[in-house]
Amino acid sequence: MTILVASLVVLTVFFARQHHYSRYPKLLHRFRWGFLFFTLFFIGFYAQGQLSVVNIFTLLLSLYDGFEIGTFLLDPVIFILWTFTFITLFIWGRGLFCGWLCPFGAMQEMASWLGKTLRVRQRKVPEAWHRRLIHLKYLILVGLVGTSFHSLTLAEQLSEVEPFKTSLTLYFWRYWPFVVYAVGLLVAGMFVHKFFCRYLCPLGAGLAVLGKFRLFSWLERVKLCGQPCQTCKNQCEINAIRTDGRIDYNECIQCLECVVILRDDTRCVDSLIQQKRQRRARIQAVNVGVS
């Protein structure tokens, strides 16, 4: 648990200073990929720290029947992760967990990287369809929570919509339909970036609901974002940036790529325009001096 707590402290410091580290894209990218590997192999496979929607409706039922903290202390790793996630939801939103601490999310990132490496054609879901499909995970969440109050056993069975048990707890060693489903989601992620996270994950939906109460909007935007610049939107693989430049924190996984672009004088349109104006001003000053 010491390693887990230390990693959470490091991640907190990193996020608190994200505007500083975003000026060093190579460092940020290396840190992110290093942390994703840590999340998958240590938190996921070794510590079995994959949070689940089951934890959400177990908590709700516990509050309904009379809260007993002892039930949640039975698994210290899950308890620590849930405590950290709950606190950070009100600071950074759901993106810190979904983008950095979810083992299956990390697995999907790696599947996407593999797809690009193998030159699999990336499919971008049309904006209109994307905006409709993102609501599917909320419907799944409502269905599971409602079912849990009727039958917890049935709700746990239906929660297999999350492939976490198959992929992380049982290492894909399970009855073949479960394996086909889990692998199928990863294959889909090779074509559509983080397909499961975006459209099917009830855990992500539940965290997004709580994340609406976050206190800050850390991801910086400038006047030209979306009006007319669409660079960040086009580069956002999870499509969490609207055409008007606003960040959709319900969908954002806090990869920080948009902040990196904003700090890049060679990619950010706002910076390029400012540089152009400065060059023009210098030329005019030189011309005035000559005359």
Side-chain angles (χ1 to χ4, degrees):
M1 288 195 298
T2 302
I3 296 176
L4 175 61
V5 172
S7 69
L8 297 179
V9 171
V10 169
L11 188 61
T12 301
V13 172
F14 177 82
F15 261 73
R17 302 197 64 196
Q18 60 182 255
H19 289 167
H20 169 72
Y21 292 117
S22 62
R23 298 181 183 277
Y24 308 96
K26 288 184 178 180
L27 173 65
L28 188 149
H29 293 149
R30 288 171 182 170
F31 177 78
R32 175 162 167 73
W33 275 104
F35 206 93
L36 288 176
F37 273 96
F38 171 81
T39 293
L40 177 59
F41 291 101
F42 181 82
I43 296 179
F45 288 130
Y46 177 75
Q48 292 292 295
Q50 173 69 65
L51 302 187
S52 167
V53 70
V54 174
N55 305 130
I56 292 180
F57 53 67
T58 299
L59 174 61
L60 293 176
L61 287 172
S62 177
L63 293 173
Y64 180 77
D65 295 330
F67 183 74
E68 289 288 342
I69 193 170
T71 304
F72 300 93
L73 291 175
L74 294 175
D75 190 334
V77 171
I78 295 296
F79 180 77
I80 290 171
L81 283 170
W82 262 120
T83 302
F84 179 80
T85 299
F86 182 78
I87 293 172
T88 56
L89 277 173
F90 300 102
I91 303 174
W92 290 290
R94 70 127 185 174
L96 187 145
F97 172 78
C98 292
W100 296 77
L101 288 171
C102 178
F104 192 75
M107 198 181 295
Q108 286 184 93
E109 293 264 7
M110 294 171 193
S112 177
W113 172 84
L114 179 62
K116 293 170 189 170
T117 301
L118 297 176
R119 298 184 179 181
V120 173
R121 183 181 177 185
Q122 301 299 293
R123 305 285 181 174
K124 193 162 186 177
V125 180
E127 185 72 18
W129 275 103
H130 170 71
R131 290 296 157 193
R132 293 188 185 99
L133 290 172
I134 58 177
H135 295 107
L136 183 57
K137 58 182 178 284
Y138 295 97
L139 295 176
I140 295 173
L141 172 67
V142 170
L144 288 174
V145 172
T147 302
S148 69
F149 283 91
H150 171 69
S151 170
L152 182 58
T153 301
L154 177 59
E156 289 178 343
Q157 292 173 344
L158 294 176
S159 69
E160 290 283 0
V161 68
E162 296 178 327
F164 307 156
K165 183 177 180 180
T166 300
S167 57
L168 294 157
T169 305
L170 300 176
Y171 309 106
F172 294 98
W173 189 257
R174 201 179 183 190
Y175 187 44
W176 69 266
F178 294 99
V179 177
V180 169
Y181 173 66
V183 172
L185 290 175
L186 292 174
V187 171
M190 294 174 67
F191 294 87
V192 179
H193 188 73
K194 300 195 79 162
F195 174 83
F196 174 77
C197 285
R198 294 164 72 178
Y199 306 124
L200 297 176
C201 183
L203 173 62
L207 296 180
V209 171
L210 289 175
K212 289 179 180 293
F213 300 101
R214 74 184 188 283
L215 301 175
F216 311 101
S217 296
W218 290 76
L219 301 177
E220 187 180 348
R221 300 279 81 194
V222 296
K223 187 176 181 180
L224 293 181
C225 290
Q227 303 172 8
C229 182
Q230 299 290 319
T231 301
C232 290
K233 174 173 176 53
N234 293 332
Q235 292 296 316
C236 182
E237 293 185 298
I238 205 163
N239 200 6
I241 301 179
R242 295 182 179 271
T243 54
D244 60 5
R246 289 179 297 136
I247 304 289
D248 185 351
Y249 281 88
N250 294 336
E251 302 302 315
C252 178
I253 60 168
Q254 298 277 353
C255 68
L256 305 182
E257 192 60 36
C258 59
V259 186
V260 169
I261 293 173
L262 200 65
R263 295 281 185 274
D264 191 338
D265 293 339
T266 65
R267 299 169 70 190
C268 178
V269 170
D270 186 67
S271 297
L272 292 172
I273 290 176
Q274 290 184 28
Q275 292 174 43
K276 186 175 181 179
R277 288 173 179 170
Q278 290 172 359
R279 286 196 299 269
R280 187 178 300 167
R282 285 196 296 268
I283 292 173
Q284 289 176 348
V286 171
N287 291 337
V288 170
V290 172
S291 60

